[in-house]
């Protein structure tokens, strides 16, 4: 029993020393609540996005689309956000880093 306690204590100390975490620091982004709430919602069509938000500043050509497992993904950039489409439907809209 006397050998068990020091061995257990040594293992716990070794595990505690090995258990550490890296810290990831990201630049803070101040998002305007109205901008976040005003982004296109998933499922909106390209036509609906353009009629609601106007013409995008930049339209990136579709990537993929070679087969059903890789549908075409298109990105439109607006001043406050970028919109990602699969075929012609919004899949995600993200705030742009200003």
């Amino acid at each position: 029993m006397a050998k068990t306690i020091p061995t257990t204590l040594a293992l716990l100390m070794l595990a505690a020393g090995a258990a550490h975490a890296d810290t990831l620091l990201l630049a803070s982004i101040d998002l305007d609540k109205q901008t976040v709430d005003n982004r296109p919602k998933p499922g909106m069509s390209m036509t609906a996005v353009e009629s609601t938000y106007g013409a995008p500043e930049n339209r990136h050509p579709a990537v993929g689309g070679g087969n059903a497992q890789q549908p075409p993904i298109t990105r439109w950039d607006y001043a406050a956000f970028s919109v990602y489409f699969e075929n012609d439907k919004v899949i995600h809209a993200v705030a742009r880093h200003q």
Side-chain angles (χ1 to χ4, degrees):
M1 177 90 173
K3 288 186 178 182
T4 305
I5 293 174
T7 303
T8 304
L9 183 59
L11 289 173
L12 286 173
M13 289 175 60
L14 180 63
H20 67 279
D22 292 329
T23 302
L24 178 63
L25 301 176
L26 301 174
S28 75
I29 300 173
D30 294 327
L31 297 175
D32 180 7
K33 175 96 169 107
Q34 185 177 3
T35 300
V36 171
D37 291 342
N38 196 30
R39 291 184 293 193
K41 304 295 183 247
M44 287 180 74
S45 69
M46 286 180 167
T47 305
V49 171
E50 191 163 9
S51 68
T52 303
Y53 300 96
E57 293 176 356
N58 194 5
R59 294 175 199 246
H60 298 271
V63 177
N67 57 47
Q69 287 76 31
Q70 297 177 342
I73 303 296
T74 307
R75 185 178 97 209
W76 288 2
D77 294 328
Y78 288 87
F81 52 83
S82 293
V83 185
Y84 293 86
F85 298 91
E86 180 178 305
N87 294 309
D88 73 329
K89 301 292 184 203
V90 173
I91 54 173
H92 202 55
V94 296
R96 292 183 62 188
H97 184 57
Q98 307 277 327

